[in-house]
Amino acid sequence: MWPAVLLLVTAQFGDGGTDYVIERGATGTTVIIPMPEPTTPPVQVQPQPQPQPVQPQPQPQPVDPVIANPPLNPQPQPVPVQQDKYQPQAQPQPQPLPTYPPGYQPPPPGWVPDAGTPLSLRGAFETDLGVFPGGIGDSSIDLMASAHPVIGLTIGEDFNLEFGPTFRFRLADFPSENRSSDIGNILRGADWDELSDFGQILQEMRIGRDTGPFHLRLGTTRKKTMGMGHLMWRYNTQLNPNYHPASGQLDVRVGPVRGEFFASDILGARMFGGEIGWDIGRTFSPDPQLKDRYGISLSLIHDANLSGLPFRPSSDIERITPSPATLLHFDANAVLVRDGTLRWQLLAGIGTRANGPGDLGLLFGTTLDATLQEIGFSTRIEIRKQNGGFRHGFFGPQYELQRFVDIGFNGASIQNAILPDSGSLFGELRVGVGTRVSTDAAIEYFFFGRIDLDGGISLAIFDDWFYTTARMTVLGLLQAPRWSVMCGLRWRLFKSFYVTGEGGTLFFPQPDGSLVRGVIANAGIGIDFER
């Protein structure tokens, strides 16, 4: 017998109908058997899921520009949305431009702003009593009292401003020669008789650092050297006791080129000059070893000599006007040895007088700078050729007196003096021990029989509570010498209280161009503060 074969076929008739099973047996008989109602619900067809709408991206809140220190403000990220792969993707919205300036980095969490640029205010008041030369004729001795108020402001390392005029009151006049020329018969009139004297009100105004690309300084100048000092060397604007100008200095550095410009009197027609220097090694090579190693410079200085004239008690007295002077000098230098403690260079130069005798000046020399722990020293030796109206260091430490009399107390001024066709040997030495002791000395011997000397020393001890300085200058030694000596003292006894002292010689230009010597000596006290 053939095995039974069952074929089950399920069909649906009608619209809800009954299910039947068709069964065919081995005999071929077909039987339709109704099936009972299913006990489980029929399978439901699931509808196709519809894509969810794309949520719009939240826009970032604008940053308030008034806020000085904005907090972190990251852009919010949109929540991802489940989408059918056959549905088009929603296009991202364009992000708004950042409200921070270019390159701005938001501060980290917990950031606290600093205190800003340090600012300090300082003030002082000094007064003294002593003897002061009359400055007229035989230079009588007068009893003087002075007051020196000072107020200053400093902002960081790039700005400083200080005012500090000196008022001298004539208490006694022996004999009575100057009282009529005093302001109110008591305030010394020679200190305020021309516009340039009002420059003493400004002691210093500084913008920028002296080692930066831009540096401007206005105020008093007592030891100015331009470049290598072959035209302007240790120049002092305050040497004449009747002349108190405020000078101006500008330094500019652009790559391998530097410019140095100087005006001795910003309120009067006096000395104007400058120097342009070129660092050749830095121009043609990026090697740092060649920086400041080979250089050339050109200096030019002109003195119109139209201010700082001799004081005259009466306008009826005629006075001389010194002759103008213009000098030009070219320098070249090469550093042969340079390391952390030693620097040795060779230098050469040529100069001339532009508005007088056109005689040339030549020089060749060497310098050596060395540092040993706290001790540093610098030496310079030069052999010079000078002739006629040109000489090296023309605008030197005694120039404000030499513009009236070169050497001695009477005679030709330095502008009109003629030197023999000869030469000289110049030497200079400077030594410093930390910030406590510094000394310098220079000598020039002229082969035709003349010696000029200049030297000084300063001492600062006890954390600068005790400070003293002294300087001596001699011109025309072996011919008609003129000696000048000055020393000063400041001793701080308490934190804001100190005593002062000063003594030495002064020279007063007369209306006829001669010089009169006198002696000054005073003692005083001072108080100061700084906030």
Side-chain angles (χ1 to χ4, degrees), residues 145-162:
S146 70
H148 181 55
V150 177
I151 187 69
L153 173 68
T154 299
I155 303 177
E157 299 181 358
D158 297 319
F159 181 81
N160 182 55
L161 180 64
E162 181 176 298

Side-chain angles (χ1 to χ4, degrees), residues 199-494:
Q200 65 178 303
I201 298 176
L202 178 62
Q203 290 296 302
E204 183 182 57
M205 185 183 76
R206 175 179 54 82
I207 301 176
R209 308 179 188 183
D210 54 1
T211 57
F214 177 88
H215 174 247
L216 173 66
R217 184 189 180 278
L218 306 177
T220 59
T221 298
R222 289 183 169 84
K223 199 175 180 182
K224 168 64 178 176
T225 297
M226 180 178 291
M228 296 182 181
H230 293 143
L231 285 186
M232 181 178 292
W233 176 72
R234 299 186 182 181
Y235 171 64
N236 182 4
T237 63
Q238 307 298 309
L239 188 63
N240 185 345
N242 293 335
Y243 180 49
H244 314 286
S247 59
Q249 175 180 334
L250 174 64
D251 299 323
V252 180
R253 295 176 175 86
V254 181
V257 179
R258 64 170 179 85
E260 181 179 1
F261 308 95
F262 180 77
S264 65
D265 187 349
I266 60 176
L267 298 178
R270 274 298 311 277
M271 187 189 307
F272 301 90
E275 178 176 284
I276 301 296
W278 179 28
D279 187 350
I280 300 178
R282 183 180 176 183
T283 302
F284 296 103
S285 175
D287 187 357
Q289 295 295 328
L290 297 181
K291 181 180 179 181
D292 295 330
R293 202 174 187 98
Y294 308 101
I296 58 176
S297 60
L298 180 64
S299 305
L300 174 66
I301 299 178
H302 171 74
D303 190 356
N305 271 321
L306 296 180
S307 61
L309 303 180
F311 172 71
R312 50 182 179 177
S314 173
S315 59
D316 298 333
I317 301 176
E318 296 183 359
R319 59 183 176 184
I320 69 165
T321 300
S323 303
T326 305
L327 283 82
L328 183 71
H329 201 274
F330 176 81
D331 287 297
N333 69 292
V335 178
L336 303 182
V337 177
R338 182 176 61 186
D339 55 30
T341 60
L342 185 67
R343 186 176 186 269
W344 176 39
Q345 74 171 345
L346 299 179
L347 50 91
I350 181 173
T352 186
R353 181 81 172 268
N355 66 330
D359 303 287
L360 293 177
L362 304 172
L363 69 84
F364 180 79
T366 181
T367 66
L368 180 65
D369 304 328
T371 303
L372 181 61
Q373 295 182 351
E374 290 189 353
I375 301 176
F377 71 90
S378 174
T379 61
R380 178 165 63 161
I381 299 177
E382 295 177 353
I383 184 169
R384 299 171 169 177
K385 189 270 181 186
Q386 306 176 102
N387 184 26
F390 178 86
R391 70 182 71 178
H392 295 95
F394 190 92
F395 306 97
Q398 292 284 311
Y399 176 74
E400 284 301 318
L401 299 179
Q402 288 181 280
R403 57 192 285 252
F404 299 101
V405 178
D406 184 20
I407 58 176
F409 297 88
N410 295 277
S413 64
I414 190 173
Q415 297 94 327
N416 300 325
I418 303 299
L419 298 181
D421 188 1
S422 182
S424 67
L425 185 64
F426 174 84
E428 182 181 17
L429 173 65
R430 291 178 292 172
V431 179
V433 181
T435 58
R436 299 183 299 274
V437 181
S438 64
T439 180
D440 60 82
I443 180 173
E444 184 170 12
Y445 172 71
F446 297 86
F447 298 154
F448 56 82
R450 169 178 166 177
I451 298 177
D452 291 347
L453 298 169
D454 181 74
I457 184 173
S458 63
L459 175 66
I461 55 177
F462 306 133
D463 293 332
D464 293 340
W465 279 44
F466 183 88
Y467 178 79
T468 183
T469 180
R471 179 159 293 276
M472 181 185 70
T473 304
V474 184
L475 293 180
L477 194 62
L478 304 181
Q479 290 186 347
R482 185 170 71 234
W483 297 72
S484 177
V485 180
M486 184 63 68
C487 58
L489 167 70
R490 187 189 66 189
W491 189 358
R492 187 174 296 275
L493 303 180
F494 304 100

